[in-house]
Amino acid sequence: MKLAVIGDELSQDPLLVADTAVQLGFAGVEVRSYDETPPHELTDGQIDHHRRLLDERGLAVAGFAPPIFKGPLPTTDAQLTEARQVLVDSCRRAVRLGAPHARIFSFFTHTEHAPEPRRAAEVVAGLLQGVDPGLPLVLETESRSNTPHMRDVLDFLDTLGRDDVGVLWDPANAVRGGWGPVRYPSDYLMGRHLIRHVHVKDPDGTHGYVRLGDGDLDWPAMLARLAEDGYTGFLSLETHWRHGRVLSPVNRDRPWGEDFSRDGFAASIECMQRLRAWCDRLPRGLETS
């Protein structure tokens, strides 16, 4: 396993992010926003500059995190066109960046209804038709989406019927969503063979997120299980906890820009140090790189 951090959890300055990752012994940076620019709107110049910063420090691009299919299920031609454009624009940027994958969602579920993964997959299948992403896609288990739990992911992928879509496992999102109990390890075991990327953060029930290690998830146990099961991908810290404030719903839905990153540097440093320490204590042969 390898350690990474989502850059804008630390700062909008990619140089500061890269230098901090190196100082704390992390192997990569997952790219979301920087320079006050959402990921799907980054210019070629911004992307090339960021890639050089990481290459010069021996850091990997751990992933690319645009808002593909992050919104209500589209019901009009205009909404479908907009969703497809975000897909195309994001994947082009991910390829230029040299990312190993691009993150996608399964659209937001209606707040009064349970998740509808199969219905969402039918819409996504239509949007992907005729589009060559140019790299693998990973579907996130996300709190407000139609795939908050692994069981929903499996229904989604079964309906989607593609072999180029893996899973971005974010167990904190399953807790935060509140769609029934989170049955770890049974939910994890259902789809562990599909996990290509992991987001690490700690929820306080459905209320928000806290310092890593102070919330509802037993991350040391989950890290050990991932290592034992042969997971070799990135553990990517997505702090979502801030000193002195709680992220707003807008911050969580549109996690980019200084309003999102503000007060995140010191908080993320604390979480990075905890994550590093836990991984360093894994049994010999299971340590992170």
Side-chain angles (χ1 to χ4, degrees):
M1 299 189 293
K2 299 163 287 189
L3 295 181
V5 61
I6 299 181
D8 57 8
E9 295 284 354
L10 282 162
S11 172
Q12 286 292 302
D13 180 355
L15 176 59
L16 177 59
V17 169
D19 285 345
T20 302
V22 171
Q23 290 164 9
L24 294 181
F26 276 46
V29 172
E30 183 171 347
V31 178
R32 194 160 54 197
S33 70
Y34 55 92
D35 295 341
E36 290 294 317
T37 309
H40 55 301
E41 297 177 6
L42 292 167
T43 67
D44 288 354
Q46 286 175 307
I47 291 171
D48 294 345
H49 176 64
H50 199 355
R51 180 62 189 266
R52 283 194 299 272
L53 286 177
L54 298 179
D55 286 346
E56 289 167 0
R57 288 157 181 78
L59 292 168
V61 178
F64 187 58
I68 300 173
F69 310 145
K70 189 177 187 182
L73 270 168
T75 57
T76 68
D77 288 345
Q79 291 169 341
L80 288 166
T81 297
E82 181 180 1
R84 187 189 296 264
Q85 193 61 53
V86 172
L87 166 69
V88 171
D89 290 347
S90 297
C91 288
R92 186 188 71 79
R93 287 164 170 80
V95 169
R96 188 178 186 97
L97 186 62
H101 55 250
R103 183 266 309 272
I104 68 171
F105 294 98
S106 55
F107 295 108
F108 292 154
T109 187
H110 297 293
T111 54
E112 68 274 18
H113 297 123
E116 299 177 285
R118 293 191 180 276
R119 179 186 174 203
E122 291 171 355
V123 176
V124 170
L127 290 167
L128 288 171
Q129 189 170 6
V131 175
D132 178 10
L135 77 171
L137 304 175
V138 288
L139 172 68
E140 181 165 345
T141 54
E142 202 276 339
S143 57
R144 291 184 59 201
S145 77
N146 286 288
T147 51
H149 295 271
M150 192 70 79
R151 59 182 179 266
D152 304 309
V153 167
L154 295 181
D155 285 344
F156 179 97
L157 293 179
D158 180 65
T159 301
L160 187 65
R162 294 176 65 112
D163 59 9
D164 60 343
V165 181
V167 175
L168 192 170
W169 186 50
D170 188 328
N173 282 343
V175 176
R176 178 72 174 77
W179 293 109
V182 178
R183 299 179 179 89
Y184 179 83
S186 59
D187 198 59
Y188 157 76
L189 292 174
M190 290 180 188
R192 60 180 168 176
H193 60 293
L194 296 170
I195 295 173
R196 302 291 178 266
H197 194 66
V198 176
H199 278 175
V200 179
K201 57 181 181 280
D202 217 345
D204 175 20
T206 59
H207 305 295
Y209 298 97
V210 294
R211 181 174 56 179
L212 199 62
D214 293 350
D216 296 319
L217 296 180
D218 186 352
W219 271 110
M222 292 193 294
L223 296 174
R225 185 58 185 264
L226 283 163
E228 291 167 4
D229 288 344
Y231 176 70
T232 58
F234 276 99
L235 304 168
S236 192
L237 177 71
E238 187 183 24
T239 320
H240 267 32
W241 168 63
R242 299 288 182 266
H243 282 170
R245 72 185 183 103
V246 176
L247 293 177
S248 69
V250 172
N251 288 149
R252 294 194 303 271
D253 285 349
R254 299 168 60 85
W256 50 72
E258 181 57 35
D259 190 52
F260 173 79
S261 300
R262 179 168 48 87
D263 303 316
F265 186 80
S268 293
I269 292 289
E270 288 187 49
C271 294
M272 292 171 76
Q273 291 170 332
R274 285 196 168 191
L275 180 58
R276 173 84 267 175
W278 289 339
C279 290
D280 286 345
R281 288 196 291 268
L282 290 172
R284 184 171 295 278
L286 299 180
E287 308 97 323
T288 54
S289 59

